Amino acid sequence: MSKIRVRFAPSPTGYLHLGSLRTALYDYVYARKMGGTFVLRIEDTDQTRLVEDSVDNLITSLATLGIDYDEGPHKDGGFGPYFQSQRLPLYMKHALELIEKGHAYHCFCSKETLDQMREEQVGTHNNMKYDGRCSRLSKDEVTARLLNGEPHVIRMKVPKHQSFVFDDIIRGRVDIESDLIDDQVIIKSDGFPTYHLAAVVDDHYMEITDVIRGEEWLSSTPKHIFLHESLGWTPPHWVHLPLLLGTDRSKMSKRQGDVAVESYLSKGYLKEAIINFVALLGWHPAGDKEIFSLEEMISEFDFAHVNKAGAIFDVTKLDWMNGQYIRSLPLEYIADCSRTYFLEAGFDISDHGKYLKVVDKSRNYVSILSLITDYAAKFYIFPKIKETDKDFLTSASSQKVLSYFCDRLRIKYNWTKDELAELVSKGIEELEIKGKQYYQPLNLALWGETSGPDIPTALDILGTEETIKRFQAIMK
Ligand code: GLU
């Protein structure tokens, strides 16, 4: 069996979105599992749709997520160049070869002619199909019009009345009537190839064994098989991944800005959660396990467990998963990922020990990391006492509690959590104050609220100095 070679072939027309990430992830995981090669190829032949920086953005997003390609831009594996715009002569060569073999033809139809054709076909087909008129031009006429410099494209000449039958690794046998297939343009009037020709030529030259891509390309596959076979090549295996559906089961548009990987990362979704979530958009190994590390995906992944049916993209599941990772990944890592949010909030996190304790406590209350500062704020912002609480706080009983703590806490600087817990119980005994009368002054003085983290934990995180400061601000 030949060594597996798969490719992720994005068009640089925007940012990496979660749908494309799934394709890249399955490519990566499958290549790793099979000891194969994962190629990144940039399909930049549609010059009108190029978006500046999108290649860099794509490469950076993949690197951030830890999905490393083996061959591609800046990583030559002997099959480059990996930008289609740098391979133009190759496509033209094979387009001309197709013409010579009778599988393609020059088409001189103007935009007006095509518009008229489209109008005439309204109501007859779902999609407009070219009627093939230029395929019937004589050789001499074609030569004369070419010499005359007439604008033209090259179209593939799809045979009539036959079936294209192929096996898809996920969908099984697929059978598509050739009469439904358009004589697709393969070289545009600017001399650039369309996606169809370029992808087929590159898949052949890059020795791609398995084409993994979204289901939206399934209907193009007969065109690709036709091109491979017309050029005397063996087509690769086909793997069409299920569509992504919104929670209302409508098809999700890949251009929905909100699904850009980058925007999820900056909102505070962890790469581990994004990858795990995306992996399960269609793939469900046996059992009900939902949390998979990348390594586990590599060892457990197979296409037999990828569904045909559309995969529901449910952000609430991503939130849940993100929360799971926020709570279970090593504290130092979560603290690292949270740093920008604390700095943006203007909190002084120079005391690393305190910062770690704050993150450790606060991570229990969030599912999106950018919101961690909502909970953590209480440890960095001095509380505001409400007018309505002032009488209660200045009462003799409240003052007794606060001064008891100030006096005891001053005795030493470093208190362990156990010692603080002991101090809290002792206070109840020694002051003979309990319940609300005991805890309320502490909570109000610490947070300006009647509730908060349990007192030993709170004091442990805030530290002696800050705690005394907060208590003293209330004391008469
Ligand atoms: N360039 C195509 C895209 O942007 C790739 C399709 C394929 O993988 O064949 O999705």
Side-chain angles (χ1 to χ4, degrees):
M1 208 173 84
S2 61
K3 199 169 162 263
I4 294 293
R5 288 177 59 82
V6 292
R7 87 307 193 264
F8 173 49
S11 304
T13 53
Y15 296 134
L16 180 67
H17 52 85
L18 289 195
S20 304
L21 173 63
R22 181 188 59 178
T23 307
L25 178 65
Y26 286 9
D27 274 317
Y28 171 83
V29 165
Y30 186 59
R32 288 288 166 279
K33 183 175 177 113
M34 306 301 286
T37 303
F38 171 37
V39 179
L40 173 64
R41 180 172 78 220
I42 306 297
E43 303 208 323
D44 56 349
T45 56
D46 190 348
Q47 297 288 303
T48 57
R49 288 181 52 221
L50 297 189
V51 173
E52 219 193 312
D53 290 343
S54 50
V55 173
D56 287 346
N57 174 277
L58 218 124
I59 292 176
T60 314
S61 295
L62 289 177
T64 307
L65 295 166
I67 304 188
D68 303 319
Y69 53 90
D70 304 305
E71 277 178 32
H74 321 301
K75 270 195 193 174
D76 191 13
F79 292 85
Y82 296 93
F83 286 86
Q84 291 188 324
S85 58
Q86 295 169 18
R87 302 166 66 85
L88 299 180
L90 191 61
Y91 310 127
M92 187 53 91
K93 174 180 147 191
H94 289 296
L96 297 176
E97 181 186 337
L98 286 166
I99 293 180
E100 241 163 67
K101 290 180 165 165
H103 299 308
Y105 58 92
H106 288 100
C107 170
F108 300 92
C109 289
S110 63
K111 185 178 171 299
E112 290 69 38
T113 311
L114 295 174
D115 284 348
Q116 200 188 335
M117 202 180 292
R118 187 171 295 120
E119 240 164 68
E120 282 162 13
Q121 291 183 14
V122 169
T124 53
H125 294 283
N126 290 334
N127 294 314
M128 184 259 183
K129 259 183 81 204
Y130 181 67
D131 66 7
R133 65 182 73 168
C134 284
S135 68
R136 294 184 285 274
L137 297 177
S138 71
K139 235 185 174 163
D140 289 347
E141 183 176 350
V142 171
T143 313
R145 291 174 80 166
L146 287 177
L147 287 176
N148 205 21
E150 270 192 50
H152 60 274
V153 299
I154 300 178
R155 290 181 182 274
M156 60 169 84
K157 190 174 177 179
V158 180
K160 302 282 168 269
H161 319 307
Q162 77 172 53
S163 289
F164 283 103
V165 180
F166 59 94
D167 289 314
D168 181 273
I169 291 182
I170 293 171
R171 327 189 71 79
R173 184 138 289 208
V174 180
D175 188 339
I176 299 181
E177 283 299 308
S178 72
D179 291 352
L180 296 172
I181 301 166
D182 193 18
D183 277 2
Q184 180 80 49
V185 173
I186 53 174
I187 298 279
K188 293 174 283 185
S189 54
D190 60 3
F192 275 70
T194 56
Y195 151 73
H196 303 281
L197 177 66
V200 164
V201 169
D202 288 345
D203 285 342
H204 172 72
Y205 278 96
M206 294 181 180
E207 296 179 13
I208 299 304
T209 54
D210 300 74
V211 166
I212 302 169
R213 59 187 177 194
E215 189 189 314
E216 60 273 25
W217 297 107
L218 187 69
S219 59
S220 298
T221 303
K223 297 175 190 169
H224 300 175
I225 294 175
F226 170 69
L227 290 174
H228 275 287
E229 289 178 346
S230 300
L231 289 164
W233 302 336
T234 309
H237 298 125
W238 307 103
V239 186
H240 288 94
L241 306 177
L243 290 178
L244 296 189
L245 306 176
T247 38
D248 60 354
R249 305 199 70 89
S250 66
K251 186 173 179 291
M252 235 176 62
S253 151
K254 74 172 180 178
R255 298 196 215 299
Q256 275 170 302
D258 160 62
V259 292
V261 170
E262 208 184 32
S263 89
Y264 281 102
L265 286 169
S266 65
K267 270 191 229 161
Y269 289 93
L270 297 169
K271 64 177 189 196
E272 292 78 2
I274 294 177
I275 285 182
N276 193 156
F277 172 72
V278 164
L280 296 182
L281 291 172
W283 172 61
H284 290 282
D288 45 17
K289 179 172 157 169
E290 300 247 53
I291 301 293
F292 292 89
S293 67
L294 202 48
E295 290 67 38
E296 287 170 324
M297 288 174 213
I298 293 170
S299 73
E300 297 185 35
F301 186 81
D302 67 355
F303 286 118
H305 289 96
V306 176
N307 291 328
K308 270 198 275 232
I312 308 272
F313 185 100
D314 181 1
V315 177
T316 54
K317 182 165 176 184
L318 173 59
D319 288 353
W320 169 80
M321 212 167 247
N322 204 43
Q324 298 292 311
Y325 279 102
I326 289 174
R327 287 181 261 300
S328 64
L329 285 170
L331 176 59
E332 281 280 0
Y333 175 70
I334 297 298
D336 240 21
C337 297
S338 307
R339 183 162 288 113
T340 54
Y341 306 119
F342 280 79
L343 295 176
E344 272 166 25
F347 299 161
D348 173 9
I349 55 170
S350 52
D351 177 345
H352 191 63
K354 173 178 173 182
Y355 175 58
L356 286 183
K357 287 177 183 173
V358 170
V359 171
D360 201 22
K361 179 71 184 161
S362 309
R363 66 169 161 173
N364 295 306
Y365 301 91
V366 279
S367 56
I368 301 171
L369 215 47
S370 58
L371 300 180
I372 193 168
T373 48
D374 290 359
Y375 185 84
K378 56 167 62 61
F379 299 108
Y380 289 104
I381 297 178
F382 211 79
K384 269 205 189 79
I385 306 300
K386 293 185 204 100
E387 279 305 316
T388 45
D389 290 326
K390 286 193 175 155
D391 281 352
F392 173 72
L393 280 171
T394 48
S395 70
S397 161
S398 298
Q399 291 287 314
K400 236 165 108 183
V401 175
L402 296 173
S403 65
Y404 175 86
F405 272 88
C406 281
D407 293 345
R408 299 295 180 287
L409 287 171
R410 268 200 200 98
I411 295 170
K412 60 184 202 141
Y413 192 77
N414 286 321
W415 289 78
T416 65
K417 222 167 144 187
D418 286 345
E419 288 168 341
L420 289 165
E422 210 178 298
L423 177 67
V424 171
S425 332
K426 242 191 181 157
I428 297 174
E429 273 168 39
E430 290 183 11
L431 297 171
E432 293 182 352
I433 302 177
K434 56 181 184 188
K436 193 176 151 194
Q437 295 301 317
Y438 185 71
Y439 288 106
Q440 202 103 308
L442 296 174
N443 275 322
L444 284 171
L446 289 172
W447 326 115
E449 305 281 340
T450 49
S451 63
D454 68 279
I455 301 296
T457 305
L459 269 46
D460 177 51
I461 297 175
L462 282 175
T464 318
E465 218 179 297
E466 175 71 14
T467 306
I468 293 175
K469 238 197 241 167
R470 292 188 183 197
F471 288 164
Q472 263 180 341
I474 311 290
M475 285 162 61
K476 288 193 282 191

